[in-house]
Amino acid sequence: MPAAIIDGKETARKIRAGIGVRAATLRKEGIFPCLAVILAGEDPASLSYVGAKEKALAEAGMESRDIRLPQSVGEGELLSLIDQLNRDPAVHGILVQLPLPRHIREDKVIAAIDPAKDVDGFHPFSVGSLVLGQPGFLPCTPHGVLTLLRELPVPLAGAHAVVVGRSNIVGRPLANLLCRRDINATVTLCHTGTRNLEDICREADILIAAAGKPGLVSGAMVREGAVVIDVGVNRVEDPAAKKGYRLRGDVDFDSVAEKAAYITPVPGGVGPMTIAMLLQNVLIAAEPKN
Ligand code: NAP
């Protein structure tokens, strides 16, 4: 039987509706949840991500402070801007859209953000809290994947989860989350140094592809009845498409859907969940702390 489609768009819509209600309550208390969004340069994919985030914030009744900087912006200038935003009580969250121009050290910029406003969850403090299982902002894409998995009638405890990709923003935090005691999956984290990737993937109850390689995971790599989550968003040339490209995931959807029990589509799977989790973090950042 072909796989059931995991509808990330619909799950995200419900979460966003709930966030909208909570944001309205905050506004009545005089708190206007606000995310500062910094974009340096004009990378087309980044422009589109930033636009989607700001639109979603507005729809949920939250504010965004849109800060566009030239590609040539200096690291010092960016750091002093972050310092100002850290001290601005009207700004609850700070998001620096990655990648930054090459001459700017990303780690330095991320470390400059006040951890209390680190709604992307990339600050070393947030990363450490996640690894230690302590409260803190969870990174949006891994949190979105986990939220989708928790909605399925499939036990995560004891399941073998295979994560393909070990980036700091997706694979590594996701692997860390999945093996936390409250989730209790057994995790294998794969990367380009992994031998027998195909064999390892075939052993997965839950297979998560986050490699940035279109169609990397084929049906032959998937166990019958597995859950397959496709984080990949890759632009592949397509002269027939209006924009000249189309989006393709890391999973070869057709062959994998023949074998998996559940699968996320691209687009409409993990992507919308990432934005929903960002809104959730902004809301948490804005809520009064006892
Ligand atoms: P990244 O920083 O480029 O990391 C890719 C990871 O995949 C690396 O760890 C790399 O291994 C591994 N990898 C690449 N090719 C592989 C192969 N053939 N076999 C095994 N491992 C391989 O990418 P990222 O930022 O994590 O993003 C991954 C994908 O998710 C991209 O398509 C990106 O656009 C997408 N994404 C989607 C969302 C969303 O909201 N849907 C959010 C973020 C990212 P090494 O470490 O050995 O190099």
Side-chain angles (χ1 to χ4, degrees):
M1 212 168 61
I5 309 283
I6 302 172
D7 189 346
K9 210 169 160 186
E10 177 55 16
T11 305
R13 191 193 60 73
K14 287 188 202 144
I15 293 171
R16 283 165 56 172
I19 291 169
V21 172
R22 285 165 65 191
T25 308
L26 283 183
R27 285 201 308 276
K28 277 189 203 136
E29 294 166 11
I31 299 168
F32 300 88
C34 176
L35 175 67
V37 180
I38 303 172
L39 174 60
E42 294 190 344
D43 173 61
S46 293
L47 276 165
S48 124
Y49 291 143
V50 162
K53 288 167 189 174
E54 290 177 344
K55 182 165 172 270
L57 283 159
E59 281 169 11
M62 301 201 268
E63 295 177 0
S64 54
R65 197 176 291 181
D66 187 30
I67 302 164
R68 303 280 162 108
L69 302 169
Q71 180 81 16
S72 59
V73 64
E75 187 178 279
E77 199 182 327
L78 186 51
L79 291 173
S80 67
L81 173 65
I82 290 174
D83 183 47
Q84 271 175 40
L85 296 168
N86 282 343
R87 286 184 281 111
D88 186 340
V91 170
H92 302 100
I94 301 170
L95 181 149
V96 179
Q97 184 64 44
L98 302 178
L100 284 168
R102 285 241 191 96
H103 61 279
I104 297 179
R105 288 168 291 178
E106 268 177 18
D107 51 353
K108 193 119 205 246
V109 170
I110 291 168
I113 297 171
D114 178 349
K117 299 189 178 188
D118 176 39
V119 291
D120 253 342
F122 296 163
H123 189 284
F125 181 87
S126 306
V127 177
S129 300
L130 185 158
V131 173
L132 295 170
Q134 291 172 2
F137 288 114
L138 294 179
C140 304
T141 303
H143 193 195
V145 170
L146 186 61
T147 305
L148 285 179
L149 288 173
R150 281 182 151 153
E151 289 241 313
L152 298 177
V154 172
L156 298 181
H160 182 199
V162 172
V163 180
V164 184
R166 61 175 159 189
S167 74
N168 287 342
I169 61 167
V170 189
R172 205 185 294 245
L174 188 52
N176 266 302
L177 275 176
L178 288 165
C179 67
R180 256 157 70 154
R181 209 171 269 278
D182 55 332
I183 297 160
N184 248 0
T186 301
V187 179
T188 304
L189 183 56
C190 302
H191 42 77
T192 54
T194 300
R195 264 186 281 129
N196 307 329
L197 180 71
E198 287 81 358
D199 293 342
I200 294 171
C201 288
R202 263 194 299 275
E203 283 173 16
D205 301 308
I206 296 164
L207 178 57
I208 299 161
K213 293 283 174 295
L216 173 69
V217 172
S218 67
M221 293 163 71
V222 173
R223 191 178 64 74
E224 201 77 44
V227 175
V228 179
I229 305 286
D230 190 353
V231 180
V233 179
N234 308 291
R235 289 184 175 199
V236 293
E237 273 187 42
D238 182 357
K242 224 194 240 168
K243 293 180 178 165
Y245 68 88
R246 67 190 167 84
L247 295 183
R248 191 163 180 230
D250 289 351
V251 170
D252 177 45
F253 186 89
D254 291 342
S255 66
V256 172
E258 291 286 310
K259 295 178 80 181
Y262 296 93
I263 186 169
T264 56
V266 175
V270 174
M273 292 298 291
T274 297
I275 294 187
M277 295 300 113
L278 173 67
L279 300 193
Q280 191 163 290
N281 279 350
V282 176
L283 192 81
I284 293 169
E287 276 169 345
K289 312 286 174 294
N290 299 321

